[in-house]
Amino acid sequence: MIFVNLGLGILFISLGFIVTEANAGTLLSGYNTMSKDDQAKFPLKEYLGKFRQFHLYFGISFVAIGTLIGLFWKNDLLYYHMGITPIIAYLYFFITTNHLNKSSSPSSKVQTKIGAAVLIATLIFVIVLFVWSERRSNLQVYEDQISITGPYGLTIPFSEMDSIVLHEKIPVIRIRLHGISTNRVSKGKFKGAGQNRYHLLLDKPYKRAVIIYRSKDIPVIISLDQVQEEELYITLKEKIAAL
């Protein structure tokens, strides 16, 4: 993940130099939607100077902070850094350069307020998502089904279980389609080799996993801290055999 952090930092630095006065009308968000009159009033040269300075300093700081986190703290903090820090940084830049937009028309000022609101809403959403993803998953076996609560939990009736497998290793997982994947958990829907798809409910590290193949949906792979996988496997085999 440190290399991903480095790549993002280089991208942030590059953004500061990609946008120029010549292409701002196309690439610079906000400016490219202004009317010709508003663009003529806007101090583009001054703004681009601050734009480049911000991206240079932010890119370097982003890499430095991420590297320190990756070397001396838990890797999960690195995920939070990469998800939250850019939003906070761009919100700060947005606020500190807003005074340059004073000569714009009322419609442009409305767009500015909407942009700030979107950044704030995105920041809140990302923080809530991270907090939600830290919730513990719990599995309960009932008379006719199992129920897993927590992030990306689900209920599986025994009647929909085609087969149960206990594996030391899970199938190859290539892409996260919809879910969360950190150094501690992988939960949600993922794509494996070929067209195979799986619903993962994994707490890491794991030694073995129960795979439930279902008649009406994709397989579910379970390895949770509070679950004894071998006991779950035996219980589910007995439940299916009793149907």
Side-chain angles (χ1 to χ4, degrees):
M1 290 305 298
I2 290 181
F3 292 107
V4 176
N5 179 77
L6 175 62
L8 287 173
I10 294 173
L11 175 62
F12 290 135
I13 294 172
S14 301
L15 286 175
F17 296 91
I18 290 174
V19 181
T20 64
E21 290 185 58
N23 60 29
T26 302
L27 299 180
L28 186 58
S29 178
Y31 180 80
N32 56 9
T33 59
M34 289 181 181
S35 65
K36 294 296 182 181
D37 289 340
D38 284 341
Q39 288 183 353
K41 297 175 185 177
F42 187 77
L44 181 60
K45 187 173 182 179
E46 180 183 356
Y47 180 86
L48 288 178
K50 294 181 180 295
F51 185 83
R52 293 189 187 97
Q53 185 180 54
F54 163 77
H55 281 88
L56 177 61
Y57 291 157
F58 171 57
I60 294 172
S61 301
F62 184 86
V63 171
I65 294 171
T67 301
L68 289 174
I69 291 174
L71 291 176
F72 299 106
W73 285 281
K74 294 180 180 179
N75 283 338
D76 282 350
L77 292 178
L78 191 55
Y79 286 95
Y80 303 152
H81 162 65
M82 290 190 294
I84 295 174
T85 303
I87 301 174
I88 295 175
Y90 277 107
L91 184 59
Y92 166 80
F93 176 72
F94 195 92
I95 293 172
T96 56
T97 58
N98 186 48
H99 66 282
L100 298 176
N101 203 31
K102 285 184 177 180
S103 61
S104 298
S105 66
S107 62
S108 292
K109 292 179 180 179
V110 169
Q111 290 180 356
T112 299
K113 292 179 180 179
I114 292 174
V118 169
L119 281 174
I120 293 171
T122 302
L123 177 61
I124 294 172
F125 172 78
V126 171
I127 292 174
V128 169
L129 180 63
F130 279 129
V131 172
W132 175 76
S133 70
E134 289 294 324
R135 292 172 57 210
R136 183 183 180 89
S137 294
N138 290 289
L139 186 147
Q140 186 71 41
V141 180
Y142 295 100
E143 287 298 321
D144 59 348
Q145 64 186 18
I146 62 169
S147 176
I148 304 165
T149 60
Y152 295 93
L154 74 171
T155 297
I156 312 174
F158 297 134
S159 60
E160 294 182 7
M161 297 182 185
D162 281 347
S163 61
I164 313 294
V165 179
L166 181 65
H167 271 309
E168 297 295 326
K169 293 183 179 180
I170 68 172
V172 174
I173 303 298
R174 301 195 184 280
I175 302 173
R176 183 179 73 245
L177 299 174
H178 185 267
I180 52 176
S181 182
T182 69
N183 193 51
R184 294 198 298 178
V185 300
S186 287
K187 296 178 181 180
K189 294 185 178 180
F190 292 72
K191 184 177 180 181
Q195 297 301 315
N196 294 325
R197 285 174 168 74
Y198 303 95
H199 189 125
L200 302 188
L201 291 165
L202 303 176
D203 288 330
K204 302 175 183 178
Y206 54 86
K207 294 182 178 180
R208 60 182 64 183
V210 173
I211 305 178
I212 303 174
Y213 291 93
R214 298 184 286 172
S215 58
K216 296 183 178 181
D217 212 330
I218 60 177
V220 181
I221 303 178
I222 302 170
S223 183
L224 301 172
D225 289 340
Q226 58 101 201
V227 173
Q228 295 294 327
E229 285 76 21
E230 188 168 355
E231 291 182 10
L232 177 63
Y233 169 73
I234 294 172
T235 299
L236 295 181
K237 293 287 285 186
E238 291 175 348
K239 292 289 187 180
I240 294 176
L243 291 178

